[in-house]
Amino acid sequence: MGSVPHKLGGQLLNAEGREFIGDYDRIEEGHYRATRDVATYAILKEVAAGRGSPHGGVYLSFRHVGAKKLRAAFGPVIDRLQANGIDLTREAIEVAPIAHYHMGGIRVDAVLETRVANLFAAGEAVGGANGANRLSGNAISEALVFGTTAGSRPRHAHAGKTRLVRRCSAGNDRAHWMP
């Protein structure tokens, strides 16, 4: 469901039925402003305190949101949930943090080159423009912008050269372009 729950005013509830995100971050006009890392931290703290759901998560409730608004936001997901006996207008669903994207890990310089000569990386693999807390909805545009940047440098630097070859010799392990 991505970032839609906080935009709709979805409520994270612990096993006691209490909305808890306000204990960890602010709520403005019924909407969460907590970033993904803060929401994940809050859920994990509630579970650790014994206030989690039976499967180690919490509950996400849209009972206060009208059916039309839910359908406009989630479209065919509503039909699929209903086909499985889940009505978001009547019951909360169990949710837990998952790793659905990976932020960072590959170090690059200002032109997106790694420490391996002629190897470039971009997007979420390097942490992206936002570091370890990617903003919702910008993964594709970030991949296009930074991917173009990472791809243009070796293309321009090695114009006319046709293939990358890896040579290994005692103390010298480098990749280079060969005609």
Side-chain angles (χ1 to χ4, degrees), residues 50-117:
R51 296 184 296 268
S53 62
H55 298 100
V58 294
Y59 298 98
L60 178 60
S61 175
F62 293 102
R63 291 179 283 210
H64 60 290
V65 179
K68 263 188 175 179
K69 199 171 181 180
L70 285 173
R71 182 164 293 287
F74 294 125
V77 172
I78 295 295
D79 297 327
R80 187 153 199 177
L81 290 170
Q82 286 179 338
N84 287 285
I86 300 168
D87 183 351
L88 291 181
T89 64
R90 295 188 182 167
E91 61 189 300
I93 57 172
E94 194 172 355
V95 296
I98 61 168
H100 69 284
Y101 58 91
H102 177 75
M103 298 304 299
I106 301 175
R107 290 181 185 223
V108 293
D109 62 18
V111 293
L112 305 171
E113 187 170 12
T114 68
R115 290 181 183 175
V116 176

Side-chain angles (χ1 to χ4, degrees), residues 5-161:
H6 82 272
K7 292 176 184 172
L8 280 177
Q11 300 172 324
L12 285 173
L13 309 172
N14 62 22
E16 299 165 352
R18 185 177 69 81
E19 188 172 12
F20 61 87
I21 201 74
D23 297 344
Y24 303 91
D25 202 52
R26 67 189 190 278
I27 299 175
E28 296 175 4
E29 300 174 19
H31 297 277
Y32 298 147
R33 298 296 180 231
T35 54
R36 291 175 183 192
D37 60 327
V38 172
T40 296
Y41 175 81
I43 292 169
L44 295 175
K45 291 301 266 183
E46 289 297 305
V47 171
R51 296 184 296 268
S53 62
H55 298 100
V58 294
Y59 298 98
L60 178 60
S61 175
F62 293 102
R63 291 179 283 210
H64 60 290
V65 179
K68 263 188 175 179
K69 199 171 181 180
L70 285 173
R71 182 164 293 287
F74 294 125
V77 172
I78 295 295
D79 297 327
R80 187 153 199 177
L81 290 170
Q82 286 179 338
N84 287 285
I86 300 168
D87 183 351
L88 291 181
T89 64
R90 295 188 182 167
E91 61 189 300
I93 57 172
E94 194 172 355
V95 296
I98 61 168
H100 69 284
Y101 58 91
H102 177 75
M103 298 304 299
I106 301 175
R107 290 181 185 223
V108 293
D109 62 18
V111 293
L112 305 171
E113 187 170 12
T114 68
R115 290 181 183 175
V116 176
N118 299 314
L119 179 63
F120 295 78
E124 293 180 358
V126 298
N130 299 293
N133 202 13
R134 178 176 64 82
L135 302 175
S136 179
N138 72 344
I140 293 173
S141 57
E142 187 173 295
L144 290 172
V145 170
F146 289 98
T148 299
T149 300
S152 66
R153 179 138 192 272
R155 183 185 70 222
H156 295 306
H158 303 291
K161 299 176 183 176

